Amino acid sequence: MTFATLGLIEPLLRALETLGYQTPTPVQAQAIPAVLAGRDLMAAAQTGTGKTAGFALPLLQLLTMEGPKVAANSARALILCPTRELAEQVHASVAEYAQHLPLTTYAVYGGVSINPQMMKLRKGVDILVATPGRLIDLFRQNALKLDQLQTLVLDEADRMLDLGFSEELANIYRMLPKKRQTLLFSATFSDEIRSLAGQMLNDPLSIEVSPRNVAANTVKQWVVPVDKKRKAELFVHLMRKGRWKQVLVFAKTRNGVDALVDKLQGLGINADGIHGDKPQATRQRALDRFKSSEVQILVATDVAARGLDIEDLPMVVNFDLPIVAEDYIHRIGRTGRAGNTGEAISLVCADEVNMLSAIEMLTRQTLTRKMEPDFEPEHRVPDTDASGQVVKKPKKPKKPKTSGGGGGKRNLGKWVDSGDVAPAEPSIKPVRKVPVFNTGPRKKK
Ligand code: AMP
């Protein structure tokens, strides 16, 4: 199959040729004809599978073929993204695909001045990429009208709910024309997303190119048990031992990011951090420097977990496990993209055993544990498996002391082979913090 056989027009084919896309990915092969046929879509695809092109290419084609000209302060298509970084990235891809088309594209998001965005919208744009909060601000200030909108794309819809955007989505929903095409994309699909889809989509075609909630199989994953207080030391040790060149590291909190960056910089390691407290320009600069390999280690909170496309990123380290198990899939999806292989290492302390268990249950696999010599934890990480059980070992009865002979065996913990994958369906739901659509205040990002 080629992009031409999917019915894409010549200016798009030319752009794809320049980008070196030869064959449509599975999600593209299914999404492109459906979107061109005007269907609503509910698409679940693993991270890095090419879903951006899956919605952007047919969208650009429809706008080129059909459109009346865009009116002042209007948009003909809206792509909603959960984070500023993702909005920038999606916009960059859309602009590349649209390079030979007479269409205008633009991205708006918070954290930067609204005035230039209002100016830019005056003439109207064909495709607007936006984060929900800023979109609503622009709408309320009459800088944007949505009556000409013909297509809405919700990208990373589950993440938008996880970030507490349910109220904003409900508001935006009320601002939209009733007659429109809606495409909902997400790497993972929770029941809440299915209910959101039920409200926003009209007879959607469901596309699922990978099993539900399974991490990309191009990513080699393992866990290193360690005491909490020795995580930074272990990270530096592994980094030096493995001669890691470019690593995206996830920490749980903003303070955690800053503390690790300070520690690494103090050791002369080229590291930078991004999190929600930093101004947008600083975050973008850190990301750009990481992408161009000027910065070796980028430490981030989950704000950076979704959608960031860093070419050939070889490694992701979970310095802390995510609180929401699905974030694990998004985090490790930053590596092993577009057919490349990658590694994802999680440094796990005893406190995090329930999170580990939730991740294993969600991904339906028992993660291999590799004990690092000299870093064996004093606080043992209890055994876990994909059934969601946390196995607390019964205390061994004390052995009577024997004189001399072979004692002093060190507890090196349990090694679990990757062959130990338990196929069991999860019996208990992992702990998730997903707000219900249309209720509750937005959590602070
Ligand atoms: P996405 O999942 O949309 O973030 O895309 C992941 C990466 O795959 C991006 O770097 C895209 O440029 C690349 N990509 C998307 N579709 C194709 C394709 N058909 N052939 C080659 N690379 C692709």
Side-chain angles (χ1 to χ4, degrees), residues 226-233 349 378-379:
V226 63
D227 282 329
K228 196 182 203 160
K229 59 178 189 294
R230 296 195 68 198
K231 277 192 179 186
E233 197 189 332
C349 66
E378 282 172 22
H379 301 282

mmCIF file of all heavy atoms in Angstrom, residues 226-233 349 378-379:
data_model
loop_
_atom_site.group_PDB
_atom_site.id
_atom_site.type_symbol
_atom_site.label_atom_id
_atom_site.label_comp_id
_atom_site.label_asym_id
_atom_site.label_seq_id
_atom_site.Cartn_x
_atom_site.Cartn_y
_atom_site.Cartn_z
ATOM 1 N N VAL A 226 15.847 -0.196 44.101
ATOM 2 C CA VAL A 226 16.857 0.622 44.787
ATOM 3 C C VAL A 226 16.186 1.346 45.957
ATOM 4 O O VAL A 226 14.976 1.581 45.924
ATOM 5 C CB VAL A 226 17.490 1.637 43.796
ATOM 6 C CG1 VAL A 226 16.450 2.622 43.259
ATOM 7 C CG2 VAL A 226 18.655 2.403 44.398
ATOM 8 N N ASP A 227 16.959 1.709 46.958
ATOM 9 C CA ASP A 227 16.399 2.535 48.034
ATOM 10 C C ASP A 227 16.200 3.948 47.512
ATOM 11 O O ASP A 227 17.028 4.460 46.742
ATOM 12 C CB ASP A 227 17.345 2.543 49.243
ATOM 13 C CG ASP A 227 17.235 1.257 50.051
ATOM 14 O OD1 ASP A 227 16.130 0.675 50.084
ATOM 15 O OD2 ASP A 227 18.257 0.826 50.621
ATOM 16 N N LYS A 228 15.135 4.579 48.023
ATOM 17 C CA LYS A 228 14.775 5.913 47.541
ATOM 18 C C LYS A 228 15.952 6.896 47.626
ATOM 19 O O LYS A 228 16.246 7.614 46.671
ATOM 20 C CB LYS A 228 13.625 6.420 48.412
ATOM 21 C CG LYS A 228 12.875 7.565 47.871
ATOM 22 C CD LYS A 228 11.844 7.910 48.922
ATOM 23 C CE LYS A 228 10.670 8.639 48.431
ATOM 24 N NZ LYS A 228 9.543 8.519 49.341
ATOM 25 N N LYS A 229 16.635 6.876 48.758
ATOM 26 C CA LYS A 229 17.682 7.877 48.960
ATOM 27 C C LYS A 229 18.905 7.654 48.057
ATOM 28 O O LYS A 229 19.757 8.522 47.947
ATOM 29 C CB LYS A 229 18.085 7.928 50.442
ATOM 30 C CG LYS A 229 18.606 6.623 51.012
ATOM 31 C CD LYS A 229 19.025 6.820 52.471
ATOM 32 C CE LYS A 229 19.760 5.645 53.057
ATOM 33 N NZ LYS A 229 19.024 4.417 53.212
ATOM 34 N N ARG A 230 18.973 6.491 47.411
ATOM 35 C CA ARG A 230 20.150 6.241 46.567
ATOM 36 C C ARG A 230 19.839 6.327 45.066
ATOM 37 O O ARG A 230 20.661 5.965 44.227
ATOM 38 C CB ARG A 230 20.736 4.868 46.897
ATOM 39 C CG ARG A 230 21.273 4.781 48.320
ATOM 40 C CD ARG A 230 22.165 3.582 48.503
ATOM 41 N NE ARG A 230 23.407 3.662 47.765
ATOM 42 C CZ ARG A 230 24.173 2.607 47.495
ATOM 43 N NH1 ARG A 230 23.808 1.406 47.917
ATOM 44 N NH2 ARG A 230 25.302 2.741 46.814
ATOM 45 N N LYS A 231 18.642 6.817 44.749
ATOM 46 C CA LYS A 231 18.253 6.841 43.326
ATOM 47 C C LYS A 231 19.185 7.699 42.462
ATOM 48 O O LYS A 231 19.591 7.286 41.384
ATOM 49 C CB LYS A 231 16.821 7.353 43.181
ATOM 50 C CG LYS A 231 15.771 6.289 43.395
ATOM 51 C CD LYS A 231 14.422 6.816 42.952
ATOM 52 C CE LYS A 231 13.343 5.768 43.136
ATOM 53 N NZ LYS A 231 12.055 6.186 42.586
ATOM 54 N N ALA A 232 19.514 8.889 42.964
ATOM 55 C CA ALA A 232 20.348 9.792 42.158
ATOM 56 C C ALA A 232 21.728 9.166 41.918
ATOM 57 O O ALA A 232 22.252 9.188 40.798
ATOM 58 C CB ALA A 232 20.476 11.144 42.845
ATOM 59 N N GLU A 233 22.260 8.586 43.000
ATOM 60 C CA GLU A 233 23.572 7.944 42.905
ATOM 61 C C GLU A 233 23.527 6.788 41.885
ATOM 62 O O GLU A 233 24.412 6.634 41.044
ATOM 63 C CB GLU A 233 23.876 7.401 44.310
ATOM 64 C CG GLU A 233 25.290 7.058 44.608
ATOM 65 C CD GLU A 233 25.368 6.337 45.960
ATOM 66 O OE1 GLU A 233 24.504 6.570 46.853
ATOM 67 O OE2 GLU A 233 26.270 5.515 46.097
ATOM 68 N N CYS A 349 11.679 2.111 44.146
ATOM 69 C CA CYS A 349 11.920 1.882 45.569
ATOM 70 C C CYS A 349 10.687 1.225 46.196
ATOM 71 O O CYS A 349 9.611 1.169 45.571
ATOM 72 C CB CYS A 349 12.281 3.179 46.280
ATOM 73 S SG CYS A 349 10.951 4.373 46.315
ATOM 74 N N GLU A 378 18.020 -1.807 50.853
ATOM 75 C CA GLU A 378 17.807 -2.311 52.218
ATOM 76 C C GLU A 378 16.318 -2.587 52.420
ATOM 77 O O GLU A 378 15.918 -3.505 53.096
ATOM 78 C CB GLU A 378 18.265 -1.258 53.236
ATOM 79 C CG GLU A 378 19.760 -1.230 53.400
ATOM 80 C CD GLU A 378 20.208 -0.056 54.249
ATOM 81 O OE1 GLU A 378 19.400 0.488 55.030
ATOM 82 O OE2 GLU A 378 21.394 0.309 54.114
ATOM 83 N N HIS A 379 15.482 -1.721 51.818
ATOM 84 C CA HIS A 379 14.033 -1.926 51.893
ATOM 85 C C HIS A 379 13.613 -2.669 50.632
ATOM 86 O O HIS A 379 13.556 -2.071 49.548
ATOM 87 C CB HIS A 379 13.297 -0.582 51.968
ATOM 88 C CG HIS A 379 13.707 0.217 53.147
ATOM 89 N ND1 HIS A 379 13.247 -0.049 54.422
ATOM 90 C CD2 HIS A 379 14.567 1.254 53.268
ATOM 91 C CE1 HIS A 379 13.806 0.798 55.266
ATOM 92 N NE2 HIS A 379 14.611 1.597 54.586
#
